[in-house]
Amino acid sequence: MGYMMLFPIFASLFLGVLAVPPEIDLMADSDIEGFNTNLFDPKYRLTEAVQPKQISVDLDVYLEEARFNGIVQLDVETIQPNLNQIALHQKVVSIQSVNIVDDQGRPVNLQFPNPFTTDDYYEILIINLASPIDLGNYSITIRYQGAINLNQFERGFYRGHYFLNNETRYYATTQFQPYYARMAFPCFDEPQFKSRFIISITRDSTLSPSYSNMAIETTTDV
Ligand SMILES: *[C@@H]1O[C@H](CO)[C@@H](O)[C@H](O)[C@H]1NC(C)=O
Ligand SMILES: *[C@@H]1O[C@H](CO)[C@@H](O)[C@H](O)[C@H]1NC(C)=O
């Protein structure tokens, strides 16, 4: 049995049994190191052409197997005409499918046979449009698989632990600053992009309770 929860807005997730505070964050002061290194190399960067408006993230979490299945829906507005590609950040394990609809729900054709390409060095996902698209609002849906880091110093979506009565207890949580959100879901992983978020998590009922920086809207047995 598991539970599904919907958080209206979000910046961090916390799943697991919390009885004592997680251990001290040894990386807290080192975030800034290396942060500017790639700032001026355009290969690492997104353009302003596509702006996120609302992002819905749905994570189906298997903590014991250190993995999750994800679906992210990015509602975006294009502000440059005639785009033939859309670039996002990604550092997930694999991407199963990408599709795009316009604001009338009509599918936007992608290139065949390469509807999208990923660059794991620059941590980029490029969506290849079959023909240039008009200015407008679009909804991009991406199905993918992700890994929960067992080494918490790698950050992103990671497993941590604590001790209760000499028993090791595990939890899953996130640290997205400065560029680790892309390990949890393909996204616009630069601070100038602002968006509303709707987060839904499916997790085992033993991983209770769940925390977010906003109240949980609904919890459902599945
Ligand atoms: C996108 O949607 C917003 C809100 O409905 C609207 O104001 C805007 O004009 C739309 N953008 C385009 C390019 O159609
Ligand atoms: C925890 O383990 C230590 C060392 O084995 C032992 O001395 C202590 O009594 C244990 N504490 C509890 C609460 O079981």
Side-chain angles (χ1 to χ4, degrees):
M1 180 159 38
Y3 289 94
M4 191 174 89
M5 283 142 304
L6 204 58
F7 303 107
I9 302 180
F10 131 116
S12 66
L13 304 173
F14 190 101
L15 309 177
V17 188
L18 185 68
V20 295
E23 57 200 31
I24 295 164
D25 186 346
L26 302 170
M27 294 284 280
D29 296 327
S30 62
D31 263 356
I32 207 71
E33 283 173 29
F35 181 45
N36 288 323
T37 319
N38 301 320
L39 202 55
F40 299 106
D41 183 344
K43 292 196 177 78
Y44 288 94
R45 305 294 307 276
L46 304 182
T47 68
E48 307 282 301
V50 180
Q51 297 286 324
K53 297 289 172 187
Q54 176 167 295
I55 299 178
S56 304
V57 185
D58 191 333
L59 304 179
D60 189 7
V61 177
Y62 301 85
L63 181 55
E64 285 187 2
E65 298 166 34
R67 67 180 183 90
F68 59 98
N69 298 327
I71 304 172
V72 62
Q73 179 182 318
L74 307 118
D75 296 337
V76 303
E77 181 173 10
T78 60
I79 60 169
Q80 253 179 42
N82 300 318
L83 290 178
N84 51 27
Q85 289 186 325
I86 294 176
L88 299 168
H89 287 116
Q90 67 82 27
K91 198 182 179 186
V92 298
V93 172
S94 64
I95 292 177
Q96 268 69 60
S97 67
V98 175
N99 56 65
I100 305 185
V101 294
D102 68 13
D103 59 359
Q104 308 297 310
R106 291 174 301 216
V108 172
N109 290 328
L110 305 184
Q111 279 183 26
F112 182 83
N114 294 311
F116 61 90
T117 48
T118 54
D119 184 321
D120 290 334
Y121 183 80
Y122 293 108
E123 303 176 355
I124 293 283
L125 164 67
I126 302 279
I127 304 170
N128 300 310
L129 305 166
S131 50
I133 54 172
D134 293 335
L135 286 181
N137 292 289
Y138 297 91
S139 185
I140 305 167
T141 301
I142 302 169
R143 291 172 184 271
Y144 62 98
Q145 295 179 330
I148 298 173
N149 278 319
L150 297 181
N151 174 1
Q152 68 179 59
F153 299 120
E154 286 175 26
R155 305 215 155 192
F157 189 9
Y158 68 89
R159 189 182 75 173
H161 68 273
Y162 64 93
F163 299 102
L164 184 68
N165 300 328
N166 286 353
E167 183 192 339
T168 307
R169 300 274 190 110
Y170 293 100
Y171 58 87
T173 189
T174 59
Q175 167 57 42
F176 287 168
Q177 276 187 299
Y179 37 62
Y180 299 97
R182 65 190 69 179
M183 300 179 81
F185 51 96
C187 59
F188 298 84
D189 205 2
E190 295 181 18
Q192 74 274 20
F193 295 108
K194 308 294 184 197
S195 177
R196 281 163 43 88
F197 279 85
I198 299 172
I199 306 295
S200 153
I201 294 169
T202 304
R203 49 99 173 134
D204 199 274
S205 57
T206 58
L207 290 170
S208 169
S210 298
Y211 297 92
S212 180
N213 61 349
M214 290 292 288
I216 294 173
E217 192 174 272
T218 57
T219 301
T220 319
D221 284 5
V222 292

